[in-house]
Structure formats: C-alpha cells, structure tokens
Amino acid sequence: MNPKFSSMVLRDARRVVVKVGSSLVTNDGRGLDEQAIGEWCRQLAHLIRDGREVIMVSSGAIAEGMKRLGWTSRPKAVQELQAAAAVGQMGLAQMYETKLRANGLGSAQVLLTHADLADRERYLNARSTLLTLLKLGVVPVINENDTVVNDEIKFGDNDTLGALVANLVEADALVILTDQKGLFTADPRKDPSATFVSEASAGDAKLELMAGGAGSSIGRGGMLTKILAAKRAAGSGASTVIAWGREPDALIRLTQGDAIGTLLIAQTQKNQARKQWMADHLQMRGAVIVDAGAATKVLEEGKSLLPIGMVQVEGDFSRGDVIAVRDEAGQEIARGLANYASAEARLLCRKPSSEFERLLGYAAEPEMLHRDNLVLSR
Ligand code: GLU
C-alpha cells in the first residue's frame, strides 16, 4: 500500500478501540501512572470532539492490585492473580473515571470475557450496550472479568480482548499502545540487523515469525499476541497500529495521518467482512416472512426490519441466532442476527413497538433485525 493511502487508514477511522498494557498503565508495576492515564484521556477527548467514537481497553488491574496488597513479586497461583485483579480494578476504574471527567467525558466500566463474546446472546447484549454508551458520548473502559476467567492473565494482557472488542463493535481501527515503538523484523536487542516494520498486511504469516515464531511459547502480552490480535481485528475489517504509549500525542497524531508505530492493514472491507461472517453461519435457525412494504424498506431503503412488517415466524431460534428474511413469495431477501427469540417474535408479528412492553413485559429494541446486523441476499 502506498504511504499516502496508508496514512488515511487511521485518519478516516470513525470508531477506534485503544488498548493499553499493564506496564504502561502502572509505570512498570510502580502503581497507576496518573500522568500517563490523564494524557491518554486528554487525547481521547480530542478524538471525540473530532467526531470519533472511542473505546478504551485497559489492563493494569493485577499490577495495581499487587501494589495495593503489598506484593513485590507476581504470584504463581492463578487465583491469587485473580484476587489481585479484583483489588486493582477498583483503582483502575476510579482513575479513568477521574481523568475522563476532568476532560469533560463520562465513563463506564465494562468487564468482559472471551466466552461472553463467543455466546451469541451475550454478544448481542454486549454490543448493544457498548453502542448505546458510544451514542451517549460516554467512554467505555473495558477490562477482562478476571474473577471468572483467566485467559488474559495466562497470556495476552488484554491484546486478544482488544481485538475481540474491535470485532464486536466493528471498529475501524485498533490502537495497541505498548512500551515498545512497534514491530521489528527481529529482536533488536539480540540482532543488530533488525529493522523497524512501519507497515504490513495484518495476517501476513511472516509477521508471526518476526515476533518470535509461531512455535515459540506465547508470552503474556508479547509482540506475538499483538500480531495475532491484529489478525483477528482484521477479520472484521479493522486495521491495527502498535505504537509506543508514551509517544507525545500519539493518538491525536495517528488520526491526523502521522505514521507512528507499526500499521497492520486489514485487507477486507468492513461490510465485506460482515457479509462473510453471516455467510459462514449457513446453518440458519429460522426465518421471518415479511410483507411487501417491509421488503422494500429493507431492500431498497436501507432500513432495519421492524416486527410490524412481519407476517410469520418460522423455526425455533434464540436471540442472537442468524435467521433469514423472506418475502411472501418465499424469496430470501436478507440474513441477520435476531434481536428476539422465535417465541417472542411470534408475539410481536404485525405489532408496533409501542406495544412491545405490554406484550413481552419489558421494553427492548424496536427492530427484529437491526440494519447493522443484517446483510442483503441479493
Ligand atoms: N486483565 C489483566 C489486568 O488488567 C491482565 C494483565 C495481567 O495478566 O497482568 O490486570
């Protein structure tokens, strides 16, 4: 990709996930780095004023918890690390809340697990909560829910979680801030011929070799987990930048088109990636049949599918399952993620959203399939 074009990747990114690692957040374990966190929050405010949406994925709970508990070396027992995370998370959330507020921004704590994002219903729930927070202009600050799982404790330091969040909200870019300038062709401390990689294609197998080899053991949050995170983020069309977290104004400059760190470019477009994802879910669990008015709205006007346009519900499906949308002649017009399970959908057929609460006992989304979770079949 030529430099002029690659500089536009971050400049054009509207929705950005920023991930910061433990060593940066806690100044190498010395304790929460108030100044650094304040700096990132100031930059996030700048991005938001610029019309972008940002999500922060921050580690540091274990490192801060260890300090609060007076532990000088990292315990081996995973349950002790989980306990430290629970202690440290209090400080982490408090610090982000204070610093974001000082910059005029609201904040929200979100603790997620990989399993939450693999489960369709929780995936949809997490997605709609995060998108609602973004709409409200609030910055979600995400960490792994270390009490119940320990994927990121064992390896990753939230690199994978950052990518999963980028997939979840279909971010345009994932920025991984770390204590290194980016990726080198080899470890520069061991190999003097190592050169800096300023740009590559995310998912290029050579990158994994540069970062220590696919066969080597994956260190917690080493360069390899970042390369793999970039590959995963690219799956939903997000490009990744790996950059030094203390680089002055790194986030602002990246969105102005400056080449900072290593840019790993996603080769698939966002909507193409979404289509592929839906296509991979060939096993559809059901269908809704819609009237001509709803079919036109979905096919020609780019609208979501509302229950009022549904005439029939087929099959047995849960919230989050992929279902088909068919017209009354039986032609498939779209596929998407169902907001309502089949039993609820049957109750909502032909009904306006003003009646949903009375029919279901709770008020939820007005759409059966939201436009963002839907791809046209023709
Ligand atoms: N989620 C963990 C944290 O925030 C991961 C970092 C680690 O393993 O030290 O502390």
Side-chain angles (χ1 to χ4, degrees):
M1 188 176 273
N2 82 46
K4 212 168 125 229
F5 186 47
S6 66
S7 72
M8 284 158 63
V9 173
L10 265 281
R11 212 186 61 191
D12 292 347
R14 303 321 303 165
R15 185 173 289 163
V16 183
V17 175
V18 179
K19 184 261 162 180
V20 279
S22 296
S23 70
L24 277 177
V25 172
T26 63
N27 201 357
D28 265 330
R30 279 186 276 274
L32 289 172
D33 189 334
E34 186 173 349
Q35 210 246 328
I37 296 175
E39 232 339 271
W40 299 318
C41 291
R42 181 185 66 75
Q43 294 183 54
L44 294 187
H46 188 286
L47 265 53
I48 290 172
R49 278 198 301 275
D50 205 23
R52 298 172 207 269
E53 295 173 325
V54 288
I55 292 182
M56 193 78 185
V57 175
S58 178
S59 303
I62 291 184
E64 173 62 12
M66 281 172 50
K67 193 187 159 231
R68 290 181 177 213
L69 291 164
W71 298 349
T72 45
S73 61
R74 189 175 167 99
K76 291 260 178 303
V78 173
Q79 68 274 21
E80 286 177 357
L81 293 168
Q82 291 176 281
V87 172
Q89 185 62 31
M90 299 292 276
L92 201 60
Q94 192 177 33
M95 182 66 82
Y96 277 103
E97 202 270 337
T98 307
K99 295 297 170 190
L100 286 166
R101 187 153 37 86
N103 284 283
L105 292 171
S107 54
Q109 175 180 247
V110 177
L111 299 177
L112 289 175
T113 69
H114 294 194
D116 291 333
L117 304 180
D119 175 284
R120 289 286 184 65
E121 183 169 357
R122 293 193 204 175
Y123 165 95
L124 261 196
N125 292 343
R127 179 180 158 93
S128 36
T129 305
L130 286 173
L131 296 184
T132 304
L133 288 167
L134 292 177
K135 224 182 268 166
L136 294 168
V138 166
V139 179
V141 180
I142 302 180
N143 197 354
E144 183 178 60
N145 190 352
D146 292 322
T147 302
V148 294
V149 288
N150 46 43
D151 309 70
E152 297 287 355
I153 293 178
K154 290 191 186 136
F155 39 76
D157 192 27
N158 287 354
D159 288 332
T160 316
L161 186 64
L164 291 172
V165 170
N167 293 154
L168 177 70
V169 299
E170 281 166 87
D172 302 297
L174 167 66
V175 179
I176 300 182
L177 294 179
T178 180
D179 52 7
Q180 289 162 53
K181 294 261 178 192
L183 177 71
F184 286 83
T185 50
D187 186 341
R189 289 165 302 190
K190 293 184 197 146
D191 183 348
S193 69
T195 54
F196 189 71
V197 180
S198 56
E199 189 182 312
S201 164
D204 182 340
K206 285 198 295 291
L207 298 173
E208 289 169 39
L209 292 173
M210 290 174 191
S216 75
S217 68
I218 301 176
R220 294 177 45 257
M223 208 38 92
L224 185 54
T225 60
K226 292 175 178 52
I227 301 293
L228 296 176
K231 186 172 169 181
R232 199 183 279 261
S236 61
S239 293
T240 297
V241 175
I242 303 169
W244 187 42
R246 299 196 189 283
E247 183 82 46
D249 281 336
L251 297 173
I252 297 174
R253 286 164 51 209
L254 278 168
T255 54
Q256 288 170 347
D258 276 15
I260 299 173
T262 299
L263 172 64
L264 300 174
I265 301 166
Q267 300 301 340
T268 3
Q269 299 288 320
K270 250 168 68 168
N271 53 358
Q272 246 178 301
R274 193 80 175 151
K275 278 207 168 115
Q276 189 53 48
W277 189 84
M278 295 279 184
D280 289 345
H281 290 73
L282 289 176
Q283 247 226 336
M284 281 180 298
R285 304 290 305 272
V288 287
I289 316 300
V290 301
D291 63 22
T296 309
K297 284 203 168 69
V298 170
L299 273 177
E300 283 158 34
E301 296 170 27
K303 299 269 170 56
S304 299
L305 173 68
L306 304 181
I308 197 156
M310 298 179 344
V311 294
Q312 204 187 322
V313 176
E314 290 175 356
D316 183 15
F317 53 86
S318 309
R319 172 170 159 81
D321 279 341
V322 177
I323 60 166
V325 180
R326 290 207 287 268
D327 63 18
E328 287 179 286
Q331 278 276 346
E332 179 179 307
I333 61 171
R335 287 177 183 200
L337 297 182
N339 272 344
Y340 292 99
S342 46
E344 293 174 319
R346 287 191 175 95
L347 290 175
L348 300 183
C349 263
R350 288 265 170 248
K351 299 291 189 309
S353 58
S354 55
E355 287 188 35
F356 291 4
E357 191 171 359
R358 183 182 60 79
L359 291 164
L360 303 174
Y362 64 91
E365 288 102 331
E367 311 87 11
M368 178 64 202
L369 285 102
H370 191 277
R371 189 73 206 172
D372 294 345
N373 297 327
L374 179 155
V375 289
L376 300 182
S377 307
R378 43 171 133 130

